[in-house]
Amino acid sequence: MLSTPGGAIESAVSVLILGTAEWDSAVATNQHYVTRELAVGAQVTFVESLGLRRPTLRPDDIVRMVGRARRAFGASAGPSPRQPARARPANTRIVSPLVVPVHRAPTRPLNRAVLRRATADWLTGDLPRVLWTFTPVTYGLEDAADVVVYHCVDLLARFPGVDSVAVTNGERDLAARPGVVAIATSDAVREHLASSGFSRIELLENVADGTVFQRGSRPAAERRPAAIFSGNLTTAKLDVALLERVAVTVGELGGELILAGPLAAGGGGSFTAELRRLEKVGARHIGLLTPSQLAEVAGSCAVGLVPYALNEYTVGVSPLKCFEYLSSGLAVLSTPLPSMRRTAESNPYVVTAGDDEFADHLGRLLTPVTDEVIAGRIDSAGRHGWVERGQLLRRLLAARLSAAG
């Protein structure tokens, strides 16, 4: 099976994507973009999260559970007032199986039956079947697939609240299946997959929808000494004490720290108290924006931040926001995550720094630059966009389908 020069799959194929989030989740992640790209030439079914993190009684979790129940019974839950609906690509359907968010022996038969019923069109169709899963908890759907891809974007078992036993067992079972292709988004994830027994691993670090952010970029004369963090505001990832110092430093230089994104979407603990602390020292939270709205804000700033704490979970993170920032013409300043150190080695517009040096680097990067520097930052992100990545993924899939015969 071949692909066209533009990367579209020539022959019809049915792709089942098992996600780890809802389709209309607050922040678009790798799984949403992969769905869009594979839908170029394929029939795609996106299965919303099976609930690897046990839900709590927090308001956000309750809203998600009610929305899932409504969708499972065929009703439209509608987007949250704070959250725009995400466009569904052509050739794509979204399914919301009402599984029990516990993946141990007592609930497995029920969950397996519910999942198979929700994916019956894929299971019984005449087209070649591809399972492209972002979760290792698959309930045996790989047995019906001609091609299986495990797209591992994080060290999932280490995220707070996730059932690490279910994740570990699922990865063991997938690794034991001949022919499975695993995709890792960072060196740490690749090493984890290798230690889990996967024999074929592709390293594909996260990329960004750069064209959207390029459109919002402004000339140097229209920028201000502001630093921005865009993404999920969660204690599982962010170094809050560092962000407090950043807010103070930026304020002393006549600028501000802008925070854009939802509060603790997908778990990891509440962020309400932390946000109050940040606002007291001058940070401004502008909430959840569409990509185009975020691009307009980012395009007026000077520095994009990746202020992640260094812990056993973030060691495997590959922040796609790095290339969103660069596409906006921003300098990027990050804590020394392994993936960001790797990026900084080849990109002069990306700087990593520890606590002692962070403020000094921030002050330097907030100073005005020329339009030529902004253009250089944008150009450096050009090879890390979804246009190129989509073509690569479709070629990879076409090659695996050909090999499967």
Side-chain angles (χ1 to χ4, degrees):
M1 186 153 315
L2 303 175
S3 61
T4 66
I9 301 166
E10 285 187 335
S11 300
V13 59
S14 182
V15 180
L16 183 70
I17 295 180
L18 296 184
T20 57
E22 274 64 48
W23 179 253
D24 281 335
S25 61
V27 178
T29 59
N30 206 309
Q31 60 200 287
H32 300 98
Y33 290 113
V34 168
T35 299
R36 183 187 71 184
E37 297 302 326
L38 294 184
V40 179
Q43 295 182 15
V44 177
T45 299
F46 180 89
V47 180
E48 295 191 302
S49 171
L50 302 182
L52 297 182
R53 180 185 62 83
R54 295 187 182 183
T56 68
L57 294 180
R58 289 178 50 216
D60 286 353
D61 277 354
I62 294 173
V63 169
R64 272 196 298 275
M65 287 186 286
V66 171
R68 168 57 70 88
R70 286 178 58 85
R71 292 192 298 277
F73 289 107
S76 173
S80 161
R82 297 170 294 169
Q83 178 178 316
R86 180 164 293 115
R88 186 182 67 179
N91 305 324
T92 301
R93 61 190 291 262
I94 312 298
V95 298
S96 307
L98 198 58
V99 298
V100 180
V102 178
H103 305 281
R104 300 296 180 92
T107 59
R108 286 189 67 84
L110 173 61
N111 282 347
R112 184 177 186 275
V114 169
L115 185 56
R116 291 183 73 86
R117 180 177 179 180
T119 58
D121 288 349
W122 179 80
L123 284 166
T124 60
D126 296 329
L127 299 176
R129 288 187 289 271
V130 174
L131 176 65
W132 196 294
T133 183
F134 288 85
T135 168
V137 180
T138 62
Y139 287 95
L141 287 174
E142 62 273 17
D143 294 337
D146 299 294
V147 171
V148 180
V149 177
Y150 176 37
H151 202 139
C152 188
V153 299
D154 283 314
L155 297 173
L156 190 57
R158 300 181 186 179
F159 189 81
V162 163
D163 187 342
S164 61
V165 173
V167 169
T168 300
N169 290 342
E171 289 182 335
R172 178 200 62 206
D173 293 344
L174 282 176
R177 179 184 173 86
V180 172
V181 176
I183 295 176
T185 56
S186 69
D187 284 329
V189 170
R190 178 171 58 181
E191 291 168 5
H192 164 73
L193 291 173
S195 68
S196 299
F198 288 91
S199 58
R200 175 165 182 179
I201 305 169
E202 302 280 348
L203 177 63
L204 299 177
E205 294 174 313
N206 284 338
V207 293
D209 203 355
T211 54
V212 173
F213 288 87
Q214 287 179 29
R215 287 196 292 268
S217 182
R218 298 184 189 177
E222 298 180 20
R223 292 178 181 257
R224 56 206 175 102
I228 185 170
F229 169 78
S230 64
N232 188 13
L233 297 166
T234 169
T235 55
K237 287 186 178 181
L238 295 178
D239 185 334
V240 178
L242 176 63
L243 274 174
E244 289 183 87
R245 295 194 293 275
V246 166
V248 172
T249 299
V250 176
E252 290 173 347
L253 295 172
E256 67 174 341
L257 170 62
I258 299 172
L259 305 172
L263 301 184
S270 172
F271 199 78
T272 303
E274 288 78 7
L275 180 59
R276 290 198 189 102
R277 283 164 46 194
L278 289 165
E279 289 176 333
K280 284 182 179 179
V281 291
R284 180 163 64 97
H285 182 224
I286 59 176
L288 178 62
L289 306 179
T290 66
S292 294
Q293 291 169 336
L294 178 59
E296 289 296 320
V297 175
S300 68
C301 296
V303 180
L305 300 172
V306 186
Y308 285 2
L310 301 180
N311 56 44
E312 64 174 4
Y313 171 66
T314 60
V315 70
V317 168
S318 172
L320 63 79
K321 63 178 56 64
C322 172
F323 296 109
E324 291 178 348
Y325 294 153
L326 290 170
S327 297
S328 295
L330 302 178
V332 179
L333 179 58
S334 172
T335 51
L337 301 172
S339 63
M340 293 302 296
R341 291 203 309 266
R342 176 187 173 103
T343 301
E345 289 173 359
S346 59
N347 191 314
Y349 305 111
V350 177
V351 177
T352 62
D355 282 358
D356 295 339
E357 304 171 317
F358 209 90
D360 290 339
H361 283 292
L362 179 61
R364 174 177 61 83
L365 295 173
L366 286 170
T367 58
V369 296
T370 64
D371 287 335
E372 288 73 21
V373 170
I374 291 174
R377 294 169 178 169
I378 294 173
D379 182 66
S380 75
R383 299 176 298 280
H384 303 278
W386 274 107
V387 173
E388 297 81 3
R389 177 56 56 81
Q391 293 174 353
L392 188 154
L393 293 178
R394 292 188 293 271
R395 287 196 297 268
L396 184 153
L397 178 53
R400 296 308 301 163
L401 287 165
S402 293

mmCIF file of all heavy atoms in Angstrom, residues 70-106:
data_model
loop_
_atom_site.group_PDB
_atom_site.id
_atom_site.type_symbol
_atom_site.label_atom_id
_atom_site.label_comp_id
_atom_site.label_asym_id
_atom_site.label_seq_id
_atom_site.Cartn_x
_atom_site.Cartn_y
_atom_site.Cartn_z
ATOM 1 N N ARG A 70 -23.891 11.774 28.599
ATOM 2 C CA ARG A 70 -24.813 12.277 27.584
ATOM 3 C C ARG A 70 -24.390 11.832 26.187
ATOM 4 O O ARG A 70 -25.211 11.402 25.382
ATOM 5 C CB ARG A 70 -24.880 13.807 27.651
ATOM 6 C CG ARG A 70 -25.661 14.336 28.855
ATOM 7 C CD ARG A 70 -25.644 15.860 28.889
ATOM 8 N NE ARG A 70 -26.208 16.424 27.675
ATOM 9 C CZ ARG A 70 -27.512 16.619 27.471
ATOM 10 N NH1 ARG A 70 -28.386 16.257 28.400
ATOM 11 N NH2 ARG A 70 -27.947 17.163 26.353
ATOM 12 N N ARG A 71 -23.081 11.912 25.913
ATOM 13 C CA ARG A 71 -22.613 11.502 24.592
ATOM 14 C C ARG A 71 -22.783 10.001 24.382
ATOM 15 O O ARG A 71 -23.092 9.539 23.287
ATOM 16 C CB ARG A 71 -21.151 11.908 24.397
ATOM 17 C CG ARG A 71 -20.940 13.419 24.305
ATOM 18 C CD ARG A 71 -19.537 13.762 23.813
ATOM 19 N NE ARG A 71 -18.493 13.287 24.692
ATOM 20 C CZ ARG A 71 -18.083 13.924 25.785
ATOM 21 N NH1 ARG A 71 -18.645 15.067 26.140
ATOM 22 N NH2 ARG A 71 -17.101 13.440 26.519
ATOM 23 N N ALA A 72 -22.572 9.228 25.443
ATOM 24 C CA ALA A 72 -22.700 7.774 25.329
ATOM 25 C C ALA A 72 -24.119 7.358 24.968
ATOM 26 O O ALA A 72 -24.332 6.345 24.299
ATOM 27 C CB ALA A 72 -22.277 7.113 26.640
ATOM 28 N N PHE A 73 -25.084 8.162 25.406
ATOM 29 C CA PHE A 73 -26.480 7.848 25.106
ATOM 30 C C PHE A 73 -27.010 8.640 23.917
ATOM 31 O O PHE A 73 -28.213 8.761 23.724
ATOM 32 C CB PHE A 73 -27.345 8.087 26.340
ATOM 33 C CG PHE A 73 -27.112 7.082 27.426
ATOM 34 C CD1 PHE A 73 -26.433 7.439 28.584
ATOM 35 C CD2 PHE A 73 -27.528 5.769 27.281
ATOM 36 C CE1 PHE A 73 -26.199 6.514 29.581
ATOM 37 C CE2 PHE A 73 -27.296 4.838 28.277
ATOM 38 C CZ PHE A 73 -26.635 5.204 29.432
ATOM 39 N N GLY A 74 -26.080 9.221 23.149
ATOM 40 C CA GLY A 74 -26.474 9.844 21.888
ATOM 41 C C GLY A 74 -26.868 11.292 21.975
ATOM 42 O O GLY A 74 -27.277 11.878 20.973
ATOM 43 N N ALA A 75 -26.757 11.910 23.134
ATOM 44 C CA ALA A 75 -27.104 13.325 23.264
ATOM 45 C C ALA A 75 -25.858 14.163 23.099
ATOM 46 O O ALA A 75 -24.741 13.715 23.318
ATOM 47 C CB ALA A 75 -27.732 13.594 24.639
ATOM 48 N N SER A 76 -26.052 15.398 22.707
ATOM 49 C CA SER A 76 -24.934 16.328 22.572
ATOM 50 C C SER A 76 -24.762 17.076 23.877
ATOM 51 O O SER A 76 -25.670 17.775 24.330
ATOM 52 C CB SER A 76 -25.178 17.322 21.430
ATOM 53 O OG SER A 76 -24.166 18.303 21.410
ATOM 54 N N ALA A 77 -23.593 16.896 24.495
ATOM 55 C CA ALA A 77 -23.339 17.604 25.751
ATOM 56 C C ALA A 77 -23.074 19.069 25.511
ATOM 57 O O ALA A 77 -23.311 19.909 26.366
ATOM 58 C CB ALA A 77 -22.143 16.974 26.473
ATOM 59 N N GLY A 78 -22.586 19.401 24.323
ATOM 60 C CA GLY A 78 -22.261 20.785 24.017
ATOM 61 C C GLY A 78 -20.969 21.188 24.685
ATOM 62 O O GLY A 78 -20.556 20.611 25.694
ATOM 63 N N PRO A 79 -20.267 22.168 24.144
ATOM 64 C CA PRO A 79 -19.016 22.606 24.754
ATOM 65 C C PRO A 79 -19.254 23.336 26.063
ATOM 66 O O PRO A 79 -20.331 23.883 26.296
ATOM 67 C CB PRO A 79 -18.434 23.559 23.699
ATOM 68 C CG PRO A 79 -19.647 24.094 22.996
ATOM 69 C CD PRO A 79 -20.622 22.957 22.956
ATOM 70 N N SER A 80 -18.279 23.300 26.919
ATOM 71 C CA SER A 80 -18.331 24.090 28.144
ATOM 72 C C SER A 80 -18.370 25.567 27.782
ATOM 73 O O SER A 80 -17.812 25.989 26.771
ATOM 74 C CB SER A 80 -17.084 23.797 28.992
ATOM 75 O OG SER A 80 -16.876 24.816 29.940
ATOM 76 N N PRO A 81 -19.038 26.407 28.598
ATOM 77 C CA PRO A 81 -19.027 27.847 28.331
ATOM 78 C C PRO A 81 -17.621 28.414 28.254
ATOM 79 O O PRO A 81 -17.393 29.434 27.632
ATOM 80 C CB PRO A 81 -19.808 28.422 29.526
ATOM 81 C CG PRO A 81 -20.644 27.298 30.025
ATOM 82 C CD PRO A 81 -19.843 26.052 29.762
ATOM 83 N N ARG A 82 -16.656 27.749 28.908
ATOM 84 C CA ARG A 82 -15.270 28.240 28.889
ATOM 85 C C ARG A 82 -14.442 27.551 27.826
ATOM 86 O O ARG A 82 -13.242 27.764 27.735
ATOM 87 C CB ARG A 82 -14.622 28.008 30.258
ATOM 88 C CG ARG A 82 -15.284 28.766 31.396
ATOM 89 C CD ARG A 82 -14.745 28.307 32.725
ATOM 90 N NE ARG A 82 -15.115 26.917 32.977
ATOM 91 C CZ ARG A 82 -14.613 26.183 33.968
ATOM 92 N NH1 ARG A 82 -13.703 26.700 34.772
ATOM 93 N NH2 ARG A 82 -14.998 24.940 34.139
ATOM 94 N N GLN A 83 -15.072 26.691 27.033
ATOM 95 C CA GLN A 83 -14.306 25.827 26.141
ATOM 96 C C GLN A 83 -14.957 25.732 24.769
ATOM 97 O O GLN A 83 -16.072 25.264 24.638
ATOM 98 C CB GLN A 83 -14.238 24.438 26.779
ATOM 99 C CG GLN A 83 -13.507 23.398 25.964
ATOM 100 C CD GLN A 83 -13.468 22.095 26.717
ATOM 101 O OE1 GLN A 83 -13.213 22.059 27.900
ATOM 102 N NE2 GLN A 83 -13.744 21.017 26.025
ATOM 103 N N PRO A 84 -14.286 26.197 23.705
ATOM 104 C CA PRO A 84 -14.866 26.105 22.373
ATOM 105 C C PRO A 84 -14.885 24.675 21.863
ATOM 106 O O PRO A 84 -14.011 23.878 22.199
ATOM 107 C CB PRO A 84 -13.916 26.969 21.527
ATOM 108 C CG PRO A 84 -12.612 26.894 22.245
ATOM 109 C CD PRO A 84 -12.945 26.787 23.712
ATOM 110 N N ALA A 85 -15.914 24.334 21.078
ATOM 111 C CA ALA A 85 -15.960 22.999 20.480
ATOM 112 C C ALA A 85 -14.847 22.856 19.456
ATOM 113 O O ALA A 85 -14.521 23.800 18.740
ATOM 114 C CB ALA A 85 -17.319 22.784 19.822
ATOM 115 N N ARG A 86 -14.242 21.659 19.396
ATOM 116 C CA ARG A 86 -13.153 21.411 18.451
ATOM 117 C C ARG A 86 -13.741 20.862 17.150
ATOM 118 O O ARG A 86 -14.592 19.977 17.167
ATOM 119 C CB ARG A 86 -12.169 20.426 19.070
ATOM 120 C CG ARG A 86 -10.974 20.076 18.182
ATOM 121 C CD ARG A 86 -9.860 19.426 18.969
ATOM 122 N NE ARG A 86 -9.294 20.380 19.902
ATOM 123 C CZ ARG A 86 -9.360 20.262 21.226
ATOM 124 N NH1 ARG A 86 -9.961 19.237 21.763
ATOM 125 N NH2 ARG A 86 -8.837 21.170 22.027
ATOM 126 N N ALA A 87 -13.285 21.399 16.030
ATOM 127 C CA ALA A 87 -13.789 20.943 14.737
ATOM 128 C C ALA A 87 -13.451 19.474 14.531
ATOM 129 O O ALA A 87 -12.360 19.021 14.870
ATOM 130 C CB ALA A 87 -13.194 21.797 13.622
ATOM 131 N N ARG A 88 -14.386 18.736 13.965
ATOM 132 C CA ARG A 88 -14.154 17.331 13.667
ATOM 133 C C ARG A 88 -13.726 17.202 12.217
ATOM 134 O O ARG A 88 -14.414 17.677 11.313
ATOM 135 C CB ARG A 88 -15.429 16.523 13.906
ATOM 136 C CG ARG A 88 -15.238 15.028 13.749
ATOM 137 C CD ARG A 88 -16.531 14.293 13.959
ATOM 138 N NE ARG A 88 -17.482 14.591 12.884
ATOM 139 C CZ ARG A 88 -18.693 14.076 12.790
ATOM 140 N NH1 ARG A 88 -19.127 13.257 13.727
ATOM 141 N NH2 ARG A 88 -19.483 14.383 11.797
ATOM 142 N N PRO A 89 -12.592 16.549 11.940
ATOM 143 C CA PRO A 89 -12.139 16.411 10.550
ATOM 144 C C PRO A 89 -13.119 15.584 9.730
ATOM 145 O O PRO A 89 -13.876 14.758 10.265
ATOM 146 C CB PRO A 89 -10.791 15.683 10.689
ATOM 147 C CG PRO A 89 -10.387 15.847 12.116
ATOM 148 C CD PRO A 89 -11.657 15.940 12.892
ATOM 149 N N ALA A 90 -13.091 15.801 8.423
ATOM 150 C CA ALA A 90 -13.866 14.941 7.530
ATOM 151 C C ALA A 90 -13.388 13.501 7.686
ATOM 152 O O ALA A 90 -12.234 13.242 8.062
ATOM 153 C CB ALA A 90 -13.683 15.407 6.084
ATOM 154 N N ASN A 91 -14.259 12.557 7.401
ATOM 155 C CA ASN A 91 -13.965 11.119 7.489
ATOM 156 C C ASN A 91 -13.727 10.654 8.919
ATOM 157 O O ASN A 91 -13.097 9.608 9.137
ATOM 158 C CB ASN A 91 -12.736 10.737 6.646
ATOM 159 C CG ASN A 91 -12.850 11.160 5.209
ATOM 160 O OD1 ASN A 91 -13.940 11.120 4.641
ATOM 161 N ND2 ASN A 91 -11.742 11.584 4.624
ATOM 162 N N THR A 92 -14.221 11.423 9.909
ATOM 163 C CA THR A 92 -13.936 11.094 11.304
ATOM 164 C C THR A 92 -15.226 11.026 12.106
ATOM 165 O O THR A 92 -16.103 11.868 11.957
ATOM 166 C CB THR A 92 -13.012 12.157 11.936
ATOM 167 O OG1 THR A 92 -11.796 12.225 11.189
ATOM 168 C CG2 THR A 92 -12.681 11.811 13.373
ATOM 169 N N ARG A 93 -15.322 10.006 12.943
ATOM 170 C CA ARG A 93 -16.423 9.932 13.906
ATOM 171 C C ARG A 93 -15.839 9.839 15.306
ATOM 172 O O ARG A 93 -14.737 9.303 15.510
ATOM 173 C CB ARG A 93 -17.360 8.749 13.609
ATOM 174 C CG ARG A 93 -16.706 7.394 13.666
ATOM 175 C CD ARG A 93 -17.623 6.299 13.115
ATOM 176 N NE ARG A 93 -18.764 6.056 13.971
ATOM 177 C CZ ARG A 93 -18.815 5.054 14.859
ATOM 178 N NH1 ARG A 93 -17.783 4.214 14.972
ATOM 179 N NH2 ARG A 93 -19.870 4.870 15.612
ATOM 180 N N ILE A 94 -16.569 10.369 16.274
ATOM 181 C CA ILE A 94 -16.144 10.378 17.666
ATOM 182 C C ILE A 94 -17.071 9.468 18.450
ATOM 183 O O ILE A 94 -18.301 9.581 18.351
ATOM 184 C CB ILE A 94 -16.205 11.802 18.267
ATOM 185 C CG1 ILE A 94 -15.548 12.827 17.332
ATOM 186 C CG2 ILE A 94 -15.562 11.819 19.646
ATOM 187 C CD1 ILE A 94 -14.098 12.603 17.061
ATOM 188 N N VAL A 95 -16.508 8.534 19.213
ATOM 189 C CA VAL A 95 -17.328 7.662 20.048
ATOM 190 C C VAL A 95 -16.924 7.814 21.504
ATOM 191 O O VAL A 95 -15.756 8.092 21.820
ATOM 192 C CB VAL A 95 -17.240 6.186 19.613
ATOM 193 C CG1 VAL A 95 -17.758 6.012 18.194
ATOM 194 C CG2 VAL A 95 -15.825 5.660 19.729
ATOM 195 N N SER A 96 -17.919 7.642 22.391
ATOM 196 C CA SER A 96 -17.714 7.885 23.820
ATOM 197 C C SER A 96 -18.218 6.693 24.633
ATOM 198 O O SER A 96 -19.308 6.742 25.213
ATOM 199 C CB SER A 96 -18.462 9.154 24.242
ATOM 200 O OG SER A 96 -18.120 10.256 23.435
ATOM 201 N N PRO A 97 -17.474 5.603 24.669
ATOM 202 C CA PRO A 97 -17.938 4.423 25.415
ATOM 203 C C PRO A 97 -18.035 4.709 26.914
ATOM 204 O O PRO A 97 -17.139 5.320 27.495
ATOM 205 C CB PRO A 97 -16.871 3.372 25.113
ATOM 206 C CG PRO A 97 -15.647 4.155 24.759
ATOM 207 C CD PRO A 97 -16.139 5.395 24.079
ATOM 208 N N LEU A 98 -19.115 4.277 27.505
ATOM 209 C CA LEU A 98 -19.361 4.538 28.923
ATOM 210 C C LEU A 98 -18.741 3.417 29.756
ATOM 211 O O LEU A 98 -19.426 2.591 30.345
ATOM 212 C CB LEU A 98 -20.862 4.646 29.181
ATOM 213 C CG LEU A 98 -21.288 5.331 30.490
ATOM 214 C CD1 LEU A 98 -20.734 6.755 30.553
ATOM 215 C CD2 LEU A 98 -22.791 5.345 30.604
ATOM 216 N N VAL A 99 -17.399 3.396 29.784
ATOM 217 C CA VAL A 99 -16.695 2.359 30.536
ATOM 218 C C VAL A 99 -16.574 2.767 31.996
ATOM 219 O O VAL A 99 -16.684 3.942 32.355
ATOM 220 C CB VAL A 99 -15.288 2.112 29.945
ATOM 221 C CG1 VAL A 99 -15.379 1.624 28.515
ATOM 222 C CG2 VAL A 99 -14.434 3.370 30.034
ATOM 223 N N VAL A 100 -16.348 1.767 32.832
ATOM 224 C CA VAL A 100 -16.050 2.022 34.240
ATOM 225 C C VAL A 100 -14.584 2.438 34.326
ATOM 226 O O VAL A 100 -13.707 1.726 33.827
ATOM 227 C CB VAL A 100 -16.289 0.757 35.089
ATOM 228 C CG1 VAL A 100 -15.967 1.037 36.564
ATOM 229 C CG2 VAL A 100 -17.724 0.276 34.932
ATOM 230 N N PRO A 101 -14.265 3.598 34.943
ATOM 231 C CA PRO A 101 -12.878 4.066 34.967
ATOM 232 C C PRO A 101 -12.002 3.319 35.964
ATOM 233 O O PRO A 101 -11.225 3.912 36.708
ATOM 234 C CB PRO A 101 -13.029 5.551 35.344
ATOM 235 C CG PRO A 101 -14.266 5.601 36.148
ATOM 236 C CD PRO A 101 -15.192 4.571 35.558
ATOM 237 N N VAL A 102 -12.149 2.003 35.991
ATOM 238 C CA VAL A 102 -11.316 1.105 36.795
ATOM 239 C C VAL A 102 -10.970 -0.061 35.876
ATOM 240 O O VAL A 102 -11.870 -0.704 35.325
ATOM 241 C CB VAL A 102 -12.046 0.599 38.050
ATOM 242 C CG1 VAL A 102 -11.152 -0.364 38.835
ATOM 243 C CG2 VAL A 102 -12.474 1.769 38.927
ATOM 244 N N HIS A 103 -9.675 -0.344 35.720
ATOM 245 C CA HIS A 103 -9.252 -1.315 34.708
ATOM 246 C C HIS A 103 -8.545 -2.500 35.361
ATOM 247 O O HIS A 103 -7.394 -2.798 35.082
ATOM 248 C CB HIS A 103 -8.369 -0.619 33.675
ATOM 249 C CG HIS A 103 -9.034 0.567 33.055
ATOM 250 N ND1 HIS A 103 -9.963 0.454 32.055
ATOM 251 C CD2 HIS A 103 -8.939 1.898 33.335
ATOM 252 C CE1 HIS A 103 -10.399 1.660 31.705
ATOM 253 N NE2 HIS A 103 -9.800 2.536 32.480
ATOM 254 N N ARG A 104 -9.280 -3.164 36.247
ATOM 255 C CA ARG A 104 -8.782 -4.354 36.925
ATOM 256 C C ARG A 104 -9.726 -5.517 36.640
ATOM 257 O O ARG A 104 -10.769 -5.359 36.012
ATOM 258 C CB ARG A 104 -8.670 -4.095 38.428
ATOM 259 C CG ARG A 104 -7.723 -2.937 38.795
ATOM 260 C CD ARG A 104 -6.282 -3.200 38.409
ATOM 261 N NE ARG A 104 -5.412 -2.086 38.769
ATOM 262 C CZ ARG A 104 -4.766 -2.002 39.926
ATOM 263 N NH1 ARG A 104 -4.890 -2.965 40.826
ATOM 264 N NH2 ARG A 104 -3.997 -0.968 40.186
ATOM 265 N N ALA A 105 -9.400 -6.694 37.146
ATOM 266 C CA ALA A 105 -10.127 -7.920 36.801
ATOM 267 C C ALA A 105 -11.646 -7.826 36.957
ATOM 268 O O ALA A 105 -12.388 -8.264 36.063
ATOM 269 C CB ALA A 105 -9.574 -9.076 37.627
ATOM 270 N N PRO A 106 -12.188 -7.242 38.040
ATOM 271 C CA PRO A 106 -13.650 -7.262 38.197
ATOM 272 C C PRO A 106 -14.395 -6.489 37.108
ATOM 273 O O PRO A 106 -15.535 -6.831 36.779
ATOM 274 C CB PRO A 106 -13.858 -6.616 39.575
ATOM 275 C CG PRO A 106 -12.573 -6.829 40.298
ATOM 276 C CD PRO A 106 -11.516 -6.715 39.236
#
